[in-house]
């Protein structure tokens, strides 16, 4: 038998053979949500811009109809297919409303793609903080008063970009915030990467950002829908956005050879989710998550992020199909629990942090998947020691922005240890991945608290991006 010397292929083949239960993205869970016909024909469908297949940037009849159906689903005036993920959508939104040298207001718990876009586009982010939910040690919703105060201090800002829902399923009050930005005549952009399924039912999910008044939003089809990685949507519903400029930058910031397999998977996923069966399946996922939380809560001291928690910290809503298990009552980290679930119970979770383990549930998860996760959580807790200590989470620190991210990134620099980097200006953006929320941004002066937090994460084997192979950080030569 032919054995190819193709390490990446062999790695994927090896992973597939493990038959893991997946509460991670993509939403199709190892192909379970992909139709048999589509999966079987995928190589045949992998074509480029031919006369018969149209062009992603010059829609013909099929793509125009697909865009219209998607816009009807999301409630937008225009919806665009993205094949380079929500990341390309975030780049496109910022490029459509900002010019080099402009400023944009951003919540600190944003995705690294926002910082990278600012570096590439020469835009300066102005951050404002978010409170930490007591006991759960995760960021709450967007504080409208802090946002208004930030807008008052930076009246020349060209836009506001917010993340909602967060990786933890926390949803902010976009409807109220959109009124604030609209009164100032600036667009509200929303990174809604984790909320592509919200329009399925406003009875079980919060309203989508577009339906709450956002000017633009990006949604990752691959995170929660039955679509392939890198598939996403960009939604437009605004009379203050230059549509032609937006379309131009999308073509610039995505590949010139767009994958029709990726785009078609998003189209198919949208079609599935709008059927009566699709809506019923999401209702079933919602109920399975509820039942699982009840079973685990009755047998452990795990806490859950859900509507049942005290909705303070500016929380407008919670995605009940986002599984967030908090282990702060036990002497264990979220990283350790995630590893136990993977190694001992063959369950992949989406992410972990100091106290939480996060899973993404979709209709492609079977009833057995939920039962297995509930059973594993109960068994794990039975072997853990209780913790008497209050969970400690460092303050949400926003270091001094000593220079723009772009200027810092392109400045001469050198690599130093984390200890040596304190009080220096960072050329790197450092994040724990996932959720890829910045701890240090390029252009910021590195604070001792930031270094301490990174060191604590490293001691728990978190994956840190932004340091080199030796654990050094790049700083600006001043």
């Amino acid at each position: 038998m032919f054995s190819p010397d193709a390490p990446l292929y062999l790695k994927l083949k090896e992973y597939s053979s493990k038959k893991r239960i997946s509460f991670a993205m993509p939403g199709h869970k190892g192909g379970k949500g992909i139709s048999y016909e589509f999966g079987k024909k995928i190589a045949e469908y992998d074509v480029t811009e031919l006369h018969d297949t149209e062009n992603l940037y010059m829609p013909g009849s099929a793509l125009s109809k697909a865009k219209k159906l998607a816009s009807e689903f999301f409630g937008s005036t225009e919806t665009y297919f993205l094949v380079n993920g929500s990341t390309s959508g975030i780049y496109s939104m910022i490029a459509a409303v900002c010019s080099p040298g402009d400023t944009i207001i951003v919540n600190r718990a944003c995705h690294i793609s926002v910082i990278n876009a600012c570096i590439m586009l020469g835009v300066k982010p102005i951050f404002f903080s978010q409170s930490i939910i007591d006991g759960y040690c995760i960021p709450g919703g967007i504080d409208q008063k802090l946002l208004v105060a930030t807008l008052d201090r930076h009246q020349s800002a060209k836009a506001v970009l917010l993340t909602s829902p967060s990786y933890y399923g926390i949803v902010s009050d976009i409807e109220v915030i959109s009124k604030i930005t609209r009164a100032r005549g600036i667009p509200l952009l929303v990174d809604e990467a984790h909320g592509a399924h919200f329009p399925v039912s406003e009875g079980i999910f919060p309203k989508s950002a577009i339906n709450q008044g956002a000017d633009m939003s990006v949604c990752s089809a691959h995170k929660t829908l039955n679509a392939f990685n890198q598939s996403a949507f960009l939604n437009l519903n605004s009379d203050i956005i230059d549509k032609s400029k937006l379309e131009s930058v999308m073509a610039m910031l995505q590949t010139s050879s767009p994958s029709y397999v990726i785009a078609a998977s998003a189209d198919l996923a949208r079609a599935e989710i709008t059927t009566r069966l699709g809506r019923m399946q999401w209702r079933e996922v919602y109920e399975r998550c509820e039942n699982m939380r009840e079973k685990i809560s009755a047998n452990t001291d795990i806490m859950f992020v859900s509507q049942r928690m005290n909705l303070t910290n500016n929380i407008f809503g919670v995605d009940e199909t986002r599984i967030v298990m908090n282990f702060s009552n036990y002497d264990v980290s979220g990283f350790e629990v995630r590893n136990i679930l993977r190694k001992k119970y063959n369950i992949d979770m989406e992410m972990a942090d100091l106290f939480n383990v996060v899973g993404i549930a979709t209709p492609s998860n079977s009833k057995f998947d939920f039962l297995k996760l509930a059973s594993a959580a109960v068994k794990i807790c039975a072997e853990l020691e209780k913790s008497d200590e209050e969970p400690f989470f460092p303050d949400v620190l926003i270091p001094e922005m000593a220079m723009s991210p772009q200027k810092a990134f392109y400045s001469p620099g050198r690599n130093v240890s984390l200890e040596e980097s304190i009080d220096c200006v960072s050329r790197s953006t450092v994040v724990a991945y996932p959720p890829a929320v910045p701890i240090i941004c390029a252009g910021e002066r590195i604070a001792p608290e930031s270094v301490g937090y990174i060191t604590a994460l490293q001691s728990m084997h978190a994956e840190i991006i932004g340091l080199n192979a030796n654990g050094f950080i790049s700083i600006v030569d001043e």
Side-chain angles (χ1 to χ4, degrees), residues 142-397:
I142 303 300
D143 189 323
Q144 298 150 29
K145 292 180 181 178
L146 277 178
L147 172 60
V148 169
T150 306
L151 283 165
D152 287 342
R153 290 195 303 271
H154 301 275
Q155 297 186 21
S156 63
K158 297 298 183 182
V160 172
L161 195 160
L162 306 176
T163 305
S164 178
S166 70
Y167 227 117
Y168 302 91
I170 301 296
V171 180
S172 298
D173 195 341
I174 299 299
E175 187 169 355
V176 169
I177 295 169
S178 68
K179 293 175 182 177
I180 294 170
T181 56
R182 194 173 298 116
R184 294 172 184 255
I186 62 173
L188 174 61
L189 322 176
V190 179
D191 175 359
E192 197 178 28
H194 289 267
H197 57 296
F198 280 8
V200 173
S201 172
E202 290 184 2
I204 61 175
F205 295 119
K207 284 184 178 180
S208 68
I210 282 292
N211 287 315
Q212 290 191 68
D215 291 278
M216 286 193 285
S217 71
V218 289
C219 300
S220 289
H222 71 94
K223 284 183 170 63
T224 57
L225 308 186
N226 287 325
F228 291 135
N229 276 321
Q230 294 183 216
S231 61
F233 299 99
L234 190 154
N235 301 305
L236 173 66
N237 191 13
S238 177
D239 56 5
I240 60 174
I241 303 293
D242 185 338
K243 180 180 170 182
S244 61
K245 183 180 180 183
L246 172 64
E247 292 176 350
S248 294
V249 297
M250 277 192 292
M252 293 167 59
L253 293 167
Q254 295 198 93
T255 174
S256 59
S257 302
S259 167
Y260 289 102
V261 169
I262 291 175
S265 76
D267 186 31
L268 187 58
R270 186 275 317 153
E272 292 170 345
I273 202 173
T274 53
T275 63
R276 181 173 180 271
L277 176 61
R279 292 191 295 272
M280 288 174 58
Q281 287 175 330
W282 273 102
R283 167 67 68 174
E284 193 171 59
V285 173
Y286 173 88
E287 292 172 352
R288 285 175 176 172
C289 286
E290 279 287 277
N291 293 336
M292 185 185 67
R293 279 191 288 266
E294 288 177 4
K295 179 177 180 179
I296 294 175
S297 296
N299 294 281
T300 74
D301 287 326
I302 293 173
M303 299 190 298
F304 286 93
V305 173
S306 74
Q307 291 289 149
R308 296 182 180 183
M309 62 191 284
N310 185 16
L311 294 186
T312 56
N313 297 91
N314 305 293
I315 298 174
F316 173 70
V318 176
D319 178 2
E320 296 285 12
T321 61
R322 183 56 50 104
I323 302 166
V324 184
M325 299 187 288
N326 180 278
F327 287 83
S328 59
N329 289 320
Y330 294 93
D331 187 20
V332 69
S333 73
F335 301 111
E336 291 171 305
V337 174
R338 180 184 60 180
N339 287 336
I340 295 171
L341 285 168
R342 179 175 59 85
K343 294 178 180 179
K344 189 172 180 179
Y345 296 97
N346 208 37
I347 299 174
D348 276 337
M349 302 299 287
E350 172 60 24
M351 66 158 284
D353 61 25
L354 291 173
F355 301 101
N356 301 282
V357 177
V358 180
I360 297 176
T362 77
S364 295
N365 285 112
S366 69
K367 182 179 180 180
F368 171 79
D369 292 350
F370 291 93
L371 293 173
K372 186 71 180 290
L373 179 57
S375 174
V378 172
K379 290 177 180 177
I380 289 170
C381 289
E383 298 178 359
L384 294 176
E385 297 290 332
K386 296 286 185 66
S387 174
D388 296 326
E389 298 181 7
E390 285 292 319
F392 167 76
F393 191 85
D395 291 335
V396 181
L397 180 71

Side-chain angles (χ1 to χ4, degrees), residues 79-91:
T79 292
Y80 301 91
F81 286 81
L82 303 174
V83 295
N84 289 91
S86 283
T87 292
S88 66
I90 287 170
Y91 275 61

Side-chain angles (χ1 to χ4, degrees), residues 97-114:
V97 299
C98 292
S99 299
D102 285 343
T103 56
I104 185 170
I105 309 297
V106 181
N107 65 301
R108 182 63 180 192
C110 66
H111 190 261
I112 189 175
S113 58
V114 176

Side-chain angles (χ1 to χ4, degrees), residues 65-76 79 199 270 274:
K65 183 177 180 181
K67 289 169 80 278
K68 182 177 184 295
L69 291 169
S71 70
E72 290 172 356
F73 173 68
F74 286 108
S76 64
T79 292
R270 186 275 317 153
T274 53

Side-chain angles (χ1 to χ4, degrees), residues 45-96:
Y45 297 158
D46 188 22
V47 296
T48 186
E49 302 94 330
L50 303 173
H51 177 78
D52 293 332
T53 58
E54 302 186 10
N55 188 314
L56 190 65
Y57 309 125
M58 297 178 64
S61 59
L63 184 55
S64 295
K65 183 177 180 181
K67 289 169 80 278
K68 182 177 184 295
L69 291 169
S71 70
E72 290 172 356
F73 173 68
F74 286 108
S76 64
T77 55
E78 193 90 31
T79 292
Y80 301 91
F81 286 81
L82 303 174
V83 295
N84 289 91
S86 283
T87 292
S88 66
I90 287 170
Y91 275 61
S92 298
M93 289 196 301
I94 295 174

